[in-house]
Amino acid sequence: MPELSRRRALTTAAALAAAATATGTAAAHSTHAAPSDSPNSPGAPGSFDEVYKGRRIQGRPAAGGGHHGGGHHGGGYAVFVDGVELHVMRNADGSWISVVSHYAPVPSPRAAARAAVDELQGARLLPFPTN
Amino acid sequence: MTVRKNQASLTADEKRRFVAALLELKRSGRYDAFVTTHNAFIIGDTDNGERTGHRSPSFLPWHRRFLLEFERALQSVDASVALPYWDWSVDRSPRSSLWAPDFLGGTGRSRDGQVTDGPFAASSGNWPITVRVDGRTFLRRALGTGVRELPTRAEVDSVLAMSTYDMAPWNSGSDGFRNHLEGWRGVNLHNRVHVWVGGQMATGVSPNDPVFWLHHAYIDKLWAEWQRRHPQAGYLPAAGTPDVVDLRETMKPWNDTTPADLLDHTPHYTFDTA
């Protein structure tokens, strides 16, 4: 997969390790709270942080309900794949979708992050709004 | 007068002209502007906020106008071209002529999903994916992988039988025709087809795959069929609905057209069959 060179993978891993050290958290193992997998729960789901198929996926409630300008609505929850934000959206029934899997709802933001990793097949995510 | 035909009945010359017009829009940069617009709406439309292009009553008139704009762009290249439609309830196999190398090309290879035949294969050099959400610049598909089956005619008929256009809360949680056709609820027609095709068609930048237009031209035809079955039923809501496009409210991004203006397709095009 040409989009994820070994050099880039190592660079990303180093950056993540540095970030984890800076914030005093343990890197790269599943530390999500169980409620993050529950649809229909009131309020935003909990945070998660894990390595899935060799890529770090993270999710957390986003303060203020927005994180970027542009055409993005700000869903109140932010998901990252190897540190790049993945646009996600919560449906009325509590299910979730992401910009790389926009027509197939899944039960939780972590499931959306995993579906994105599956879909990406190792390719890097581009920051949104798209170029 | 524009006549939209079933893709399965196009002549070789009609296919050639349609493909050539697509490639010219792509070359000129006009094609990618449509992809950008679609992605902006799909990201911006939310169940509890403003919603126009998707997950809302205006899903159907918004896409009708979007396709009209695109069809006019094609016709500025070749005035003989009309958008064909794909009746996926009939042509429901990856072996359908739709996916032949003389038309849209086939499914992607297993390693990376890359489409390797047809006019839109990356190797042609004519179809770079420039408006994208990830690093991959080639058209991808995985026909029948994300979901095994396309909707059946019986499932289509079950949705066409619904007599109410749309219902509160006017979003992905609604009952009624629009949301069942869109697919957030029930047997799932429109959404499921995006997932069945896979690749970019399953993402917010779905118009990167030319089949987007043929899929939506058929969704648009199903709206027309529904209107004929339910002549007393109209677009809803009528007025005064926050965040939702009412019958006589203008729609972004055009701001000069309302759902009421788009209920009748016949001033713009007709279909090959009733």
Side-chain angles (χ1 to χ4, degrees), chain A residues 23-110:
Chain A
T23 56
T25 59
H29 276 289
S30 183
T31 57
H32 65 92
S36 67
D37 273 322
S38 311
N40 301 314
S41 59
S47 300
F48 67 89
D49 185 346
E50 69 176 19
V51 173
Y52 174 73
K53 292 190 175 176
R55 305 185 70 170
R56 189 173 189 186
I57 56 175
Q58 298 164 285
R60 55 177 177 261
H67 23 270
H68 278 287
H72 176 57
H73 62 91
Y77 195 91
V79 170
F80 301 85
V81 177
D82 289 339
V84 178
E85 187 166 5
L86 170 72
H87 177 264
V88 296
M89 182 183 294
R90 186 179 196 172
N91 293 323
D93 66 356
S95 63
W96 292 76
I97 53 175
S98 84
V99 75
V100 300
S101 185
H102 214 278
Y103 303 92
V106 292
S108 68
R110 187 169 69 139

Side-chain angles (χ1 to χ4, degrees), chain A residues 1-3 71-73 87 89-93 97-105 119-131, chain B residues 38-39 42-47 55 110-112 130-136 140 171-173 184 190-191 194-195 199 201-204 206:
Chain A
M1 288 159 200
E3 293 296 343
H72 176 57
H73 62 91
H87 177 264
M89 182 183 294
R90 186 179 196 172
N91 293 323
D93 66 356
I97 53 175
S98 84
V99 75
V100 300
S101 185
H102 214 278
Y103 303 92
E119 207 286 327
L120 287 166
Q121 294 185 284
R124 70 191 162 92
L125 197 61
L126 297 185
F128 63 82
T130 53
N131 53 343
Chain B
H38 185 268
N39 194 43
I42 217 164
I43 283 177
D45 296 324
T46 61
D47 275 338
R55 58 181 66 240
S110 59
R111 176 160 63 84
D112 59 3
T130 53
V131 181
R132 57 187 194 270
V133 294
D134 61 60
R136 294 168 290 183
R140 292 176 293 112
N171 63 17
S172 75
W184 300 111
H190 154 269
N191 282 354
H194 277 275
V195 176
M201 258 293 270
T203 75
S206 46

Side-chain angles (χ1 to χ4, degrees), chain B:
Chain B
M1 184 60 183
T2 299
V3 180
R4 293 189 181 173
K5 299 179 182 174
N6 189 320
Q7 59 79 26
S9 61
L10 295 184
T11 66
D13 187 56
E14 286 169 331
K15 290 180 186 180
R16 261 196 305 274
R17 286 172 171 271
F18 178 63
V19 166
L22 286 167
L23 295 177
E24 172 54 22
L25 288 187
K26 184 68 166 179
R27 191 201 59 76
S28 70
R30 296 170 73 191
Y31 190 97
D32 287 339
F34 285 91
V35 187
T36 298
T37 295
H38 185 268
N39 194 43
F41 276 82
I42 217 164
I43 283 177
D45 296 324
T46 61
D47 275 338
N48 297 312
E50 188 175 315
R51 47 197 185 275
T52 302
H54 305 86
R55 58 181 66 240
S56 60
S58 46
F59 168 70
L60 290 170
W62 190 92
H63 282 84
R64 176 164 283 176
R65 173 65 185 256
F66 190 56
L67 263 63
L68 272 170
E69 296 283 332
F70 186 73
E71 188 170 54
R72 288 167 186 154
L74 289 171
Q75 291 173 341
S76 74
V77 175
D78 182 340
S80 77
V81 170
L83 281 183
Y85 61 86
W86 169 33
D87 179 351
W88 26 253
S89 75
V90 171
D91 296 305
R92 44 189 300 105
S93 161
R95 292 172 301 283
S96 160
S97 62
L98 173 66
W99 308 111
D102 69 337
F103 201 12
L104 299 191
T107 194
R109 64 188 180 192
S110 59
R111 176 160 63 84
D112 59 3
Q114 183 170 163
V115 171
T116 58
D117 68 348
F120 310 102
S123 56
S124 71
N126 293 324
W127 203 257
I129 304 300
T130 53
V131 181
R132 57 187 194 270
V133 294
D134 61 60
R136 294 168 290 183
T137 59
F138 49 87
L139 181 65
R140 292 176 293 112
R141 291 183 189 129
L143 303 183
T145 300
V147 60
R148 187 175 294 275
E149 297 291 339
L150 288 164
T152 64
R153 185 67 216 183
E155 288 171 328
V156 169
D157 284 336
S158 74
V159 172
L160 290 177
M162 296 177 176
S163 57
T164 303
Y165 177 77
D166 206 346
M167 297 166 75
W170 319 109
N171 63 17
S172 75
S174 290
D175 202 351
F177 169 69
R178 187 275 310 167
N179 197 36
H180 280 80
L181 178 61
E182 189 169 358
W184 300 111
R185 190 157 175 173
V187 297
N188 185 357
L189 302 182
H190 154 269
N191 282 354
R192 195 196 330 177
V193 176
H194 277 275
V195 176
W196 186 89
V197 174
Q200 281 89 1
M201 258 293 270
T203 75
V205 291
S206 46
N208 272 310
D209 192 326
V211 81
F212 173 92
W213 310 103
L214 285 76
H215 173 36
H216 271 279
Y218 186 59
I219 293 293
D220 182 80
K221 184 171 187 288
L222 291 177
W223 184 23
E225 288 183 26
W226 179 85
Q227 288 173 308
R228 274 200 311 281
R229 289 196 196 196
H230 305 278
Q232 309 306 320
Y235 180 94
L236 293 169
T241 318
D243 293 327
V244 171
V245 181
D246 296 316
L247 179 62
R248 298 185 196 287
E249 275 188 324
T250 58
M251 283 188 297
K252 295 175 180 178
W254 309 288
N255 300 316
D256 64 354
T257 189
T258 70
D261 299 329
L262 289 159
L263 300 180
D264 180 7
H265 64 84
T266 60
H268 308 292
Y269 52 88
T270 57
F271 293 104
D272 54 353
T273 56

